[in-house]
């Protein structure tokens, strides 16, 4: 059994807690959240121990994995400490909002040769991953375009938004990462971003200096054109589609629904049920599948699909997008 200490028991932490609890290879030994009352919910739900000081987990020699699902601002410090204690680390995206903090952490942890997996769960979505394999096997010939649509059903709460880091670093970071995953050794060389606020949510986003809709256009060194089409509200569910286009064809990883049943009647044809509501439902499988690699990482048998460097590189693109928006021009990446 792999003993895990889960740090952070908010929206995503509770979902990870459930997966770790259900997974046959993991034992959720500890849960830590600075909100002790919240963390205590884990005791009856997951038969685990809630700790008041996270160092209890670090000092416990039986703990193999520190699983970081707390607020973004806490990630880097937890990584530094967990690496020094020689733990295997899982850390939610984004690594941090500040590139310098990531660079100095990278230098500091190098001496511990830590094993780190980053929570870029979309790499584990079976549909999105099918596209990755197909691109690598040249099933669509030479890759020419990547088009990602990512629309959340509703904005996160104000309490989350005010510290999350904005649409590029918090939300679109998933799409930057997925593009890098598909492009493999072909780095992004140009980024252009634009945003807008047109709905009743505009006031909320303005209050946190953020935006409700964005489009980002990127170009790779070889010339692949990538479009990211995002919104932080969407009346019909969690709209998640990826299209890759090449010289020999096109592939789509499509939305997911409750059922695949279609109804045709006098109101229309091929009517389908609603899209799955949000990331926890849409990427349910992916969140679970990424744990298999985490188990492999502990036993040194497997490398995760996303590591510390992927977290670092995705943030570089997010920062370039924010810069492009500010300067209203294309930003080149070296
Ligand atoms: N991979 C994904 O799809 C995905 C989805 C949502 C969120 N996230 C990421 O997960 C992280 C958490 O997001 P969330 O939506 O669960 O936020 P949240 O605000 O619901 O939960 C964060 C939790 O962290 C706790 N926390 C804050 N500081 C802490 C500290 N010093 N020590 C221990 N606990 C602390 C808070 O009390 C809270 O319970 C963020 O970094 C976010 O970007 C990833």
């Amino acid at each position: 059994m792999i003993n895990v200490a889960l740090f952070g028991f908010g929206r995503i932490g509770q979902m990870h807690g459930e997966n770790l609890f259900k997974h046959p290879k993991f034992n959720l030994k500890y849960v830590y959240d600075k909100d002790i009352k919240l963390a205590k919910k884990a005791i009856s739900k997951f038969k685990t121990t809630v700790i008041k000081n996270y160092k209890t987990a670090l000092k416990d020699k039986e703990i193999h994995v520190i699983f970081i699902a707390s607020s973004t601002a806490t990630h880097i410090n937890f990584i530094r400490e967990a690496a020094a204690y020689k733990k295997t680390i899982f850390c939610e995206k984004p690594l941090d909002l500040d590139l310098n903090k990531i660079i100095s952490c990278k230098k500091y942890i190098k001496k511990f040769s830590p094993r780190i997996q980053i929570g870029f769960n979309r790499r584990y979505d079976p549909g999105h991953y099918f596209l990755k394999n197909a691109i690598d096997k040249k099933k669509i010939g030479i890759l020419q375009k990547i088009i990602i649509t990512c629309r959340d059903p509703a904005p996160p709460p104000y309490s989350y938004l005010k510290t999350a880091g904005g649409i590029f670093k918090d939300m679109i970071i998933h799409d930057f990462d997925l593009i890098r995953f598909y492009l493999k050794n072909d780095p992004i060389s140009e980024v252009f971003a634009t945003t807008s606020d047109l709905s009743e949510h505009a006031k909320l986003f303005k209050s946190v200096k953020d935006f409700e809709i964005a489009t980002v256009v990127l170009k790779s060194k070889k010339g692949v054109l990538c479009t990211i089409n995002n919104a932080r509200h969407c009346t019909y569910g969690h709209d998640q589609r990826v299209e890759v286009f090449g010289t020999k064809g096109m592939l789509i990883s499509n939305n997911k629904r409750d059922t695949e049943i279609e109804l045709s009647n006098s109101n229309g044809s091929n009517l389908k049920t609603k899209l799955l509501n949000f990331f926890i439902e849409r990427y349910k499988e992916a969140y679970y599948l990424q744990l298999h690699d985490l188990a492999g990482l502990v036993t040194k048998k497997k490398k995760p699909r996303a590591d510390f460097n992927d977290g670092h590189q995705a943030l570089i693109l997010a920062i370039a997008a924010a810069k492009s928006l500010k300067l209203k021009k294309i930003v080149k990446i070296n």
Side-chain angles (χ1 to χ4, degrees):
M1 272 298 204
I2 299 167
N3 292 318
V4 185
L6 172 64
F7 291 0
F9 202 61
R11 278 191 311 173
I12 201 90
Q14 292 180 32
M15 186 274 303
H16 285 308
E18 190 161 350
N19 280 341
L20 289 161
F21 178 65
K22 279 194 294 198
H23 199 289
K25 290 196 174 157
F26 293 100
N27 169 39
L28 184 57
K29 189 170 180 188
Y30 299 130
V31 168
Y32 169 71
D33 193 295
K34 70 168 190 188
D35 181 344
I36 296 283
K37 223 170 128 191
L38 177 71
K40 280 189 173 165
K41 283 188 182 169
I43 301 173
S44 58
K45 233 174 156 185
F46 305 135
K47 299 181 184 67
T48 185
T49 302
V50 168
I51 49 175
K52 288 192 179 141
N53 186 337
Y54 67 92
K55 298 225 182 215
T56 306
L58 296 175
K59 287 177 186 162
D60 184 340
K61 289 197 169 68
E62 285 181 2
I63 285 290
H64 306 102
V65 175
I66 299 295
F67 199 112
I68 305 164
S70 43
S71 313
T72 299
T74 65
H75 294 179
I76 287 291
N77 280 345
F78 282 147
I79 289 178
R80 290 173 86 104
E81 293 200 58
Y85 276 92
K86 304 265 183 199
K87 306 294 188 189
T88 298
I89 299 162
F90 180 98
C91 182
E92 260 308 339
K93 51 57 59 178
L95 268 176
D96 196 80
L97 305 177
D98 180 343
L99 216 46
N100 290 327
K101 271 171 81 182
I102 292 178
I103 294 165
S104 90
C105 175
K106 206 174 196 173
K107 279 185 195 152
Y108 170 75
I109 62 177
K110 201 173 169 212
K111 56 182 170 287
F112 306 112
S113 311
R115 281 166 272 167
I116 305 182
Q117 179 170 359
I118 301 297
F120 282 131
N121 52 292
R122 292 183 194 182
R123 293 187 181 217
Y124 290 86
D125 176 73
H128 298 352
Y129 190 58
F130 184 94
L131 266 51
K132 162 74 178 158
N133 277 325
I135 294 166
D136 287 353
K137 289 178 184 147
K138 299 268 182 281
K139 298 263 189 209
I140 53 164
I142 299 166
L143 178 65
Q144 292 184 297
K145 283 195 172 195
I146 302 171
I147 300 151
I148 300 180
T149 297
C150 171
R151 299 180 185 136
D152 281 352
Y158 172 79
S159 58
Y160 178 88
L161 280 175
K162 69 179 186 201
T163 59
I167 194 164
F168 301 118
K169 292 180 184 172
D170 179 53
M171 182 185 183
I172 305 182
I173 196 129
H174 277 294
D175 309 310
F176 294 134
D177 176 67
L178 198 58
I179 284 173
R180 288 192 59 255
F181 190 44
Y182 289 153
L183 290 174
K184 214 175 176 178
N185 300 321
D186 180 18
I188 289 294
S189 58
E190 293 177 12
V191 179
F192 176 76
T194 187
T195 60
S196 199
D197 299 287
L198 296 168
S199 79
E200 75 274 16
H201 302 295
K203 223 171 138 192
L204 167 69
F205 286 101
K206 282 208 169 90
S207 73
V208 289
K209 295 194 174 86
D210 201 358
F211 309 95
E212 58 163 332
I213 54 172
T215 298
V216 186
V217 180
L218 307 97
K219 191 173 185 178
S220 78
K221 203 172 167 195
K222 283 185 187 162
V224 180
L225 298 183
C226 316
T227 313
I228 305 172
N229 172 3
N230 280 63
R232 284 192 119 152
H233 60 85
C234 179
T235 51
Y236 51 89
H238 195 32
D239 189 3
Q240 296 284 299
R241 289 168 278 145
V242 182
E243 178 179 316
V244 290
F245 172 77
T247 51
K248 287 187 181 166
M250 186 265 282
L251 278 162
I252 294 178
S253 172
N254 225 327
N255 277 315
K256 283 194 175 169
R257 298 163 196 275
D258 272 341
T259 76
E260 291 312 312
I261 290 166
E262 290 182 8
L263 168 72
S264 294
N265 61 16
S266 56
N267 294 325
S269 45
N270 304 98
L271 303 172
K272 293 182 177 181
T273 53
K274 272 184 79 171
L275 302 184
L276 289 178
N277 186 47
F278 214 165
F279 58 90
I280 290 188
E281 294 90 355
R282 169 63 178 82
Y283 288 109
K284 191 175 177 196
E285 229 177 328
Y287 290 123
Y288 192 74
L289 288 173
Q290 68 184 355
L291 293 183
H292 299 343
D293 276 9
L294 181 62
L297 187 62
V298 173
T299 53
K300 298 187 188 166
K301 285 185 183 141
K302 236 176 165 191
K303 280 191 176 166
R305 288 183 199 161
D307 62 16
F308 190 96
N309 185 51
D310 294 309
H312 180 184
Q313 297 305 320
L315 191 75
I316 290 175
L317 297 182
I319 288 171
K323 191 173 168 190
S324 162
L325 180 72
K326 199 172 167 195
L327 301 177
K328 293 188 170 54
K329 63 181 195 183
I330 293 170
V331 168
K332 299 224 183 251
I333 313 255
N334 292 323

